[in-house]
Amino acid sequence: MCRRYYPQENLINRGGKIVRVEQYTQPFASSFYKRYLEDAGSLSSFFHYEWNQTALNTRFQETDFSNHKRSELVNVLTKYMSKFGISTKSAIHLKELENNGIVVIGGQQAGLLSGPLYSIHKAISVITLAKQQRELLGVPVVPVFWIAGEDHDIDEINHVYIERGRKLQKVVYPEPLRIKKMASETTFDTDLINAYLEEIFQSLPETLYTKELFQKVKSLLENNLTYSDFFAALMNDLFREEGLLLIDAAYKPFRKLESDYFQQMVKNSSHLAKLVFENEMVFEREGFGTPIQTKENAANLFYVENGERFLLERKDDKFVHESKGISFSEEEMLNIAKNYPEKLSNNVVTRPIMQEMVFPVLSFIGGPGEIAYWGTLKTAFELFDMKMPVIMPRLSITIVNSKTQNLLEKFSFTVQDVWEGAVENTKLQYINERRNGKVTELIETIQEELAAKYKELETLLEKEDLKLVPLVNKNLGFHEKQLIFIQNAIEDTFLGKLDASIHRYDRLTMELTPNGGLQERTYTPLQLLNEVGVNLIQNLLEIPYEFNGKHYSVLV
């Protein structure tokens, strides 16, 4: 039997229904993330704050939030969100932000159908922490979601995983062109994307919610035919009642707002690159790797041309992308930043800094990878006379449907047992206990005896000087292949007899550790919305989460 583990458990009354919520130690955590969760104080050389209420209080008290271009920012946000519809709650949040409101912010790439579930969990984290801090600090705290529409790695966002024939399959949207444009400028082919969505929905089991969900997704797609717009439309719809504010980093009016900040980054480019390079070397010496893999000659900015991004480096006092033949002097870069800021784009170093310049940030919600690369940026923030915000680990959630919960109870597993491989081990034990070892032994005996007899024949032929050894070996090979064929056929037939039981083990693994990792890193919310309805998001938002670094398991 597997090792037993009893998690912290809460029973929550949600709309008259008792829901079970369990908390576990964060699974699959890197050494750095584990340290950040359990002992953030020991990482003070990399961050300005720990991630607790004391730090949030200090951040609020010592930070001057009056220097931001609030009116301009709200005008840009309003213009951007108008396309998707501004809810009453969002309008209130926009007004608060224009006055003295501060923000909790997080972001993600514009994945198809919201991308992996952790995009949803990140939005829930932003909303939940903003609500909690609004109450505790007594000031308006507004949730903001930053869409990385400037990202051009389309292969990271152009697919979803669905179950087909009891197996998990990656279904990729068939891009008609392979030019690596930014997500905000990569347009779907109408026929292709509609056929793609139909293919995805046809793979889902028919439920009470399937038709309505399909129509909703199709309607959101109608006027939103880029990755970023489709993502924004869906997120706005899912979180409309929470007033989640959205902005695409590549939105051109937003770039105009950032003009002054781009100029600062150009002027400080050399010093910034040196600081980040040195800090990352310290990070590596501490045993945490090089999450950015920066270079001393990095410009930490992209140049944008026809929707494509080209990463710039500094060479001989120029900002260059050699393979593209791009070269600008500092004066030319400053002119671009001042008059054509839409032609510039942040990289992994300058995006966090730009975020702090544009928004009055109380806290940034980050995932494991984000927190690691933010850990290299402390001195970069100080270069611009800023401190990092409080970097709060996002909520990490596994959603367990009733069928999966029934299987867990049937086999006496916890969710953590599945993460730790106990299900796979138990499945193999189940199979081996039912396998007749005599069959394998007999086939092995036949193989050994056959090889021995053929060796006798080979020796005899050589003695008689009959040069037929190659033919003998070839014939032996035929027999060995036939034995392997028989062995495989026996194994397939044997496993077929156990199929129903084996499938239950595989079902647990596929639901809770798809692709060998957390559910939230593979599945979109589509399957769950199809199973339990769009109220799933609201139900998840009603759980009284604690930001304590634990992983939540929620039975829906």
Side-chain angles (χ1 to χ4, degrees):
M1 281 298 294
C2 59
R3 178 181 65 81
R4 302 308 309 130
Y5 175 84
Y6 296 96
Q8 181 180 337
E9 177 179 295
N10 292 309
L11 298 178
I12 297 170
N13 190 327
R14 192 175 63 200
K17 179 182 178 182
I18 302 299
V19 175
R20 189 158 75 205
V21 177
E22 300 171 344
Q23 295 184 47
Y24 295 87
T25 299
Q26 193 68 231
F28 305 108
S30 67
S31 60
F32 173 78
Y33 193 52
K34 182 177 174 64
R35 177 104 161 257
Y36 190 77
L37 295 178
E38 297 176 358
D39 187 17
S42 68
L43 298 171
S44 59
S45 61
F46 300 115
F47 301 95
H48 287 108
Y49 304 98
E50 296 182 36
W51 55 278
N52 52 39
Q53 191 58 49
T54 300
L56 289 161
N57 293 343
T58 302
R59 168 74 174 174
F60 173 64
Q61 291 163 3
E62 71 179 17
T63 306
D64 182 2
F65 294 114
S66 65
N67 296 323
H68 295 86
K69 302 176 183 179
R70 289 179 179 270
S71 294
E72 295 95 323
L73 174 60
V74 169
N75 285 339
V76 169
L77 291 172
T78 302
K79 185 177 180 182
Y80 175 73
M81 291 188 66
S82 293
K83 178 178 181 180
F84 312 108
I86 299 176
S87 69
T88 301
K89 192 70 170 287
S90 293
I92 292 171
H93 284 164
L94 286 166
K95 193 66 178 176
E96 289 177 335
L97 181 57
E98 188 170 14
N99 295 318
N100 66 334
I102 56 179
V103 308
V104 171
I105 191 167
Q108 193 56 48
Q109 296 162 292
L112 267 181
L113 297 166
S114 92
L117 272 163
Y118 60 67
S119 296
I120 300 297
H121 300 165
K122 194 171 285 186
I124 290 172
S125 304
V126 168
I127 292 164
T128 300
L129 187 61
K131 285 180 178 178
Q132 291 176 359
Q133 295 309 307
R134 176 184 288 261
E135 183 176 341
L136 290 168
L137 299 177
V139 297
V141 183
V142 176
V144 178
F145 198 95
W146 177 300
I147 302 167
E150 60 196 350
D151 201 300
H152 61 263
D153 196 344
I154 302 301
D155 289 340
E156 289 190 0
I157 62 174
N158 66 354
H159 58 273
V160 299
Y161 284 91
I162 58 174
E163 181 186 351
R164 281 178 173 169
R166 296 187 179 182
K167 292 185 178 180
L168 196 61
Q169 291 192 6
K170 181 180 180 179
V171 185
V172 180
Y173 167 69
E175 296 284 346
L177 298 173
R178 299 306 298 167
I179 298 173
K180 281 200 167 186
K181 283 192 172 186
M182 297 188 298
S184 63
E185 297 197 22
T186 301
T187 305
F188 299 122
D189 176 279
T190 305
D191 292 337
L192 285 177
I193 189 64
N194 278 304
Y196 178 81
L197 291 177
E198 287 177 9
E199 178 186 1
I200 297 300
F201 273 87
Q202 285 172 3
S203 299
L204 298 174
E206 185 77 25
T207 71
L208 293 172
Y209 310 105
T210 306
K211 185 176 181 180
E212 179 185 356
L213 183 60
F214 181 60
Q215 292 304 321
K216 177 182 284 291
V217 169
K218 292 269 284 185
S219 67
L220 292 173
L221 176 67
E222 281 183 10
N223 297 309
N224 300 296
L225 285 170
T226 67
Y227 278 96
S228 291
D229 282 355
F230 189 29
F231 177 87
L234 181 58
M235 294 294 281
N236 189 59
D237 186 80
L238 292 174
F239 295 100
R240 175 181 299 275
E241 299 307 314
E242 299 297 329
L244 180 65
L245 303 185
L246 302 167
I247 186 63
D248 181 351
Y251 184 51
K252 289 183 180 179
F254 192 54
R255 283 284 181 256
K256 294 285 187 185
L257 177 67
E258 295 172 333
S259 172
D260 291 343
Y261 312 133
F262 274 127
Q263 291 177 62
Q264 290 183 45
M265 290 173 181
V266 170
K267 291 175 182 176
N268 290 281
S269 177
S270 178
H271 196 182
L272 175 62
K274 183 174 185 293
L275 288 172
V276 176
F277 180 80
E278 290 173 349
N279 220 35
E280 190 170 39
M281 293 306 99
V282 176
F283 201 76
E284 184 179 28
R285 286 196 296 272
E286 290 287 329
F288 302 131
T290 53
I292 294 179
Q293 298 184 329
T294 190
K295 301 176 182 177
E296 280 192 281
N297 66 334
N300 293 306
L301 291 171
F302 287 90
Y303 180 70
V304 179
E305 187 175 276
N306 298 322
E308 291 186 76
R309 292 202 307 171
F310 303 96
L311 186 62
L312 300 175
E313 294 183 343
R314 292 175 298 102
K315 185 176 182 180
D316 300 328
D317 296 323
K318 299 280 189 180
F319 291 76
V320 305
H321 187 288
E322 291 187 326
S323 65
K324 183 66 176 176
I326 294 171
S327 178
F328 300 111
S329 67
E330 181 174 310
E331 184 178 351
E332 289 170 326
M333 282 290 289
L334 288 171
N335 180 60
I336 293 169
K338 181 179 181 180
N339 298 304
Y340 309 100
E342 68 277 6
K343 290 183 175 292
L344 296 180
S345 172
N346 296 119
N347 80 334
V348 68
V349 170
T350 51
R351 194 206 77 81
I353 295 168
M354 183 66 81
Q355 176 180 282
E356 183 67 20
M357 290 173 165
V358 173
F359 286 95
V361 181
L362 172 69
S363 179
F364 169 71
I365 297 286
E370 289 171 306
I371 294 174
Y373 75 70
W374 275 67
T376 67
L377 301 179
K378 183 178 182 181
T379 52
F381 273 76
E382 292 169 353
L383 175 63
F384 296 96
D385 298 319
M386 301 184 301
K387 284 186 176 182
M388 290 182 185
V390 176
I391 302 175
M392 191 69 69
R394 68 165 172 81
L395 295 169
S396 182
I397 306 169
T398 289
I399 300 170
V400 184
N401 61 29
S402 57
K403 291 179 181 178
T404 303
Q405 183 63 30
N406 288 339
L407 287 175
L408 288 170
E409 291 173 357
K410 175 181 177 60
F411 293 117
S412 297
F413 287 127
T414 67
V415 175
Q416 181 148 338
D417 291 329
V418 185
W419 295 330
E420 293 180 347
V423 171
E424 193 64 23
N425 292 337
T426 305
K427 182 184 83 171
L428 293 175
Q429 181 182 343
Y430 173 85
I431 292 171
N432 290 332
E433 286 174 350
R434 285 152 181 80
R435 179 180 279 113
N436 189 335
K438 291 182 179 180
V439 174
T440 303
E441 290 174 8
L442 183 56
I443 291 176
E444 289 174 352
T445 299
I446 294 171
Q447 288 173 323
E448 291 169 1
E449 291 178 353
L450 191 64
K453 291 298 182 184
Y454 268 82
K455 186 64 178 176
E456 286 182 29
L457 178 59
E458 181 183 325
T459 301
L460 181 60
L461 293 174
E462 287 177 341
K463 185 177 180 180
E464 296 295 324
D465 196 27
L466 299 175
K467 303 185 182 302
L468 294 172
V469 172
L471 180 62
V472 170
N473 290 333
K474 184 176 181 180
N475 192 259
L476 174 61
F478 288 145
H479 283 293
E480 288 175 336
K481 286 180 181 179
Q482 285 300 309
L483 283 171
I484 292 171
F485 176 80
I486 292 171
Q487 191 171 21
N488 290 338
I490 291 169
E491 182 70 6
D492 289 343
T493 304
F494 164 68
L495 293 177
K497 289 176 64 177
L498 304 179
D499 180 66
S501 296
I502 291 173
H503 178 57
R504 287 181 293 186
Y505 290 112
D506 290 342
R507 173 98 254 141
L508 280 174
T509 301
M510 188 161 57
E511 285 286 334
L512 301 180
T513 54
N515 290 332
L518 286 173
Q519 175 197 80
E520 64 184 15
R521 303 199 68 82
T522 294
Y523 289 121
T524 73
L526 188 66
Q527 294 95 323
L528 289 160
L529 293 172
N530 181 63
E531 183 177 344
V532 302
V534 293
N535 288 337
L536 168 69
I537 303 300
Q538 192 57 43
N539 290 340
L540 291 174
L541 281 160
E542 290 173 4
I543 293 170
Y545 299 102
E546 298 174 69
F547 286 87
N548 56 10
K550 300 294 185 183
H551 182 92
Y552 280 82
S553 170
V554 179
L555 172 62
V556 296

